[in-house]
Amino acid sequence: FFSMGYFKGKKILITGGSSGIGKACAEYTLKDGAHVMIIGRRKELLDTAQMELRKVAAEGQKVEILQLDISDEAAVNAAAPKVLETLGGLDILINNAGIANCGYLQNETADNYREMMNINYFGTVWVTKAFTEHFMVQKHGHIGFTSSVLGLMGLFGYSAYAASKFAMTGYADCLRMDLLKYNIGVHVCFPPDTDTPQHAEELKGMPAETKAVAGQIKMMAAEDVAKAFLDGMAAGTYHIVPSFGNKLTMWAVRHLPGISRFFIDRDIKSVWTVESDVPPVTAESVQQKKLQQDALQTEQTSGSEAALSSIAPPKDCAPATEEAHEAKSVPEA
């Protein structure tokens, strides 16, 4: 942990700070002498985290909490002056709050995509915008983002999550250039699968195809990710990629994309059986497909019924039944 001493006396705001990587960042910077405020949506988790974090703080250090839904732009703007007043300023903003879900594409709803973007992307933007003018006037400080390895590559089952993290990565890329003349450091951390309560929830609905790929990657402890993030921030590193294995994966995806896709696709296909060579479909998607087929059949027969009545339909062209679809589906792991 090479950045010890760098954060002494600094005023730090961490979103998503009640657990996981955010809480670990709070703990390490408090041990280094910083003043910290953590943001979260659940008051009970914030209270517990504050109690635990106070145990590592010295007398006189601030350990503050703020219950806030960062996807609410108006609430974020209203809270910003209070944050600055409580902390006595702001030197470092760590945008760590985020949610994830993993599942088959056909099971994703419009609400899944909206929620992912509202918190992971727009929530991050609202918080950053609320303090950008403060940093510009101050002409020093750091703004950090906890993205993901899926902020630079896609993965089976993560269409909603990866899209929100790609958006965050693009925003941070522009922000870095916009703030160059103001001497504000911008940093993006790309952790792999991390041992957090959120990841434990993801595993409950994770498709077998995703596990076949993700199982190749060693999970990191939240504390190790936090150390790498803070070290990179202190060193002025823009893209922070924890662990050698993660660096190797990111390098391969960037410089050998075709080869990377070959091995990823191979792992995905490995869970499909000879009899069931396509991903499973849900009852809803089967019903939707049947309705589409019925509508098409009605359209085709709405012309001259007399002319069609003399033609017997070929046996092998009968509409696929729900049972036929289910027979081709792959059972979920």
Side-chain angles (χ1 to χ4, degrees):
F1 196 19
F2 301 112
S3 57
M4 292 302 290
Y6 183 81
F7 299 100
K8 185 175 183 179
K10 288 186 169 56
K11 305 164 186 76
I12 303 175
L13 177 65
I14 304 173
T15 68
S18 59
S19 65
I21 297 169
K23 184 181 176 185
C25 285
E27 181 175 343
Y28 282 124
T29 53
L30 281 168
K31 288 179 178 178
D32 204 31
H35 303 285
V36 175
M37 175 182 285
I38 59 173
I39 290 177
R41 291 189 293 178
R42 296 172 57 182
K43 185 65 163 58
E44 66 274 17
L45 289 181
L46 285 169
D47 288 337
T48 300
Q50 183 181 40
M51 181 178 62
E52 294 172 350
L53 290 172
R54 278 176 172 165
K55 295 177 182 178
V56 302
E59 185 177 353
Q61 279 183 270
K62 294 181 179 179
V63 183
E64 306 291 343
I65 61 173
L66 175 63
Q67 184 180 11
L68 179 67
D69 179 359
I70 64 168
S71 67
D72 185 337
E73 181 185 6
V76 170
N77 289 334
K82 299 175 184 176
V83 170
L84 295 175
E85 181 182 355
T86 302
L87 284 176
L90 186 63
D91 299 301
I92 297 172
L93 167 63
I94 298 179
N95 288 294
N96 177 73
I99 59 171
N101 77 297
C102 182
Y104 287 104
L105 180 68
Q106 58 270 35
N107 293 347
E108 293 285 4
T109 66
D111 286 341
N112 290 147
Y113 285 95
R114 290 191 189 96
E115 184 180 31
M116 214 66 58
M117 290 298 292
N118 283 339
I119 295 177
N120 295 354
Y121 175 62
F122 285 115
T124 295
V125 172
W126 304 150
V127 174
T128 303
K129 280 179 62 64
F131 295 102
T132 297
E133 185 176 347
H134 164 80
F135 280 113
M136 285 178 165
V137 172
Q138 185 172 266
K139 286 187 167 49
H140 70 81
H142 298 270
I143 301 175
F145 299 85
T146 302
S147 182
S148 163
V149 65
L150 299 188
L152 288 175
M153 63 174 283
L155 182 61
F156 190 104
Y158 279 105
S159 60
Y161 177 75
S164 69
K165 290 299 186 178
F166 264 79
M168 176 196 285
T169 301
Y171 173 71
D173 216 29
C174 297
L175 187 74
R176 185 193 68 81
M177 291 180 273
D178 289 342
L179 295 180
L180 270 176
K181 69 177 181 179
Y182 299 100
N183 194 35
I184 310 301
V186 175
H187 319 271
V188 187
C189 184
F190 298 94
D193 283 346
T194 306
D195 189 8
T196 63
Q198 176 176 274
H199 189 262
E201 286 298 312
E202 291 173 49
L203 289 173
K204 294 178 181 179
M206 185 175 287
E209 292 88 342
T210 311
K211 291 179 180 178
V213 179
Q216 315 278 339
I217 304 170
K218 183 179 179 182
M219 188 179 297
M220 285 192 73
E223 293 76 13
D224 292 335
V225 174
K227 287 178 182 178
F229 195 176
L230 296 172
D231 278 345
M233 186 177 290
T237 305
Y238 173 43
H239 277 189
I240 301 166
V241 184
S243 90
F244 175 77
N246 199 26
K247 286 182 173 70
L248 187 62
T249 298
M250 301 279 276
W251 183 90
V253 168
R254 282 186 167 188
H255 299 286
L256 301 171
I259 295 175
S260 299
R261 285 193 293 269
F262 171 81
F263 284 107
I264 291 172
D265 291 354
R266 182 199 63 181
D267 290 339
I268 290 172
K269 294 175 183 178
S270 71
V271 305
W272 300 344
T273 66
V274 175
E275 295 80 11
S276 305
D277 56 356
V278 295
V281 295
T282 62
E284 290 80 6
S285 62
V286 170
Q287 183 64 24
Q288 183 65 27
K289 182 174 286 188
K290 189 175 187 301
L291 291 173
Q292 291 172 349
Q293 290 172 337
D294 290 344
L296 179 61
Q297 185 178 14
T298 300
E299 182 181 342
Q300 291 173 339
T301 59
S302 63
S304 175
E305 293 184 5
L308 290 174
S309 62
S310 62
I311 304 175
K315 293 180 180 180
D316 59 348
C317 290
T321 63
E322 185 171 331
E323 289 77 9
H325 284 288
E326 289 176 350
K328 291 185 68 178
S329 68
V330 176
E332 294 189 35

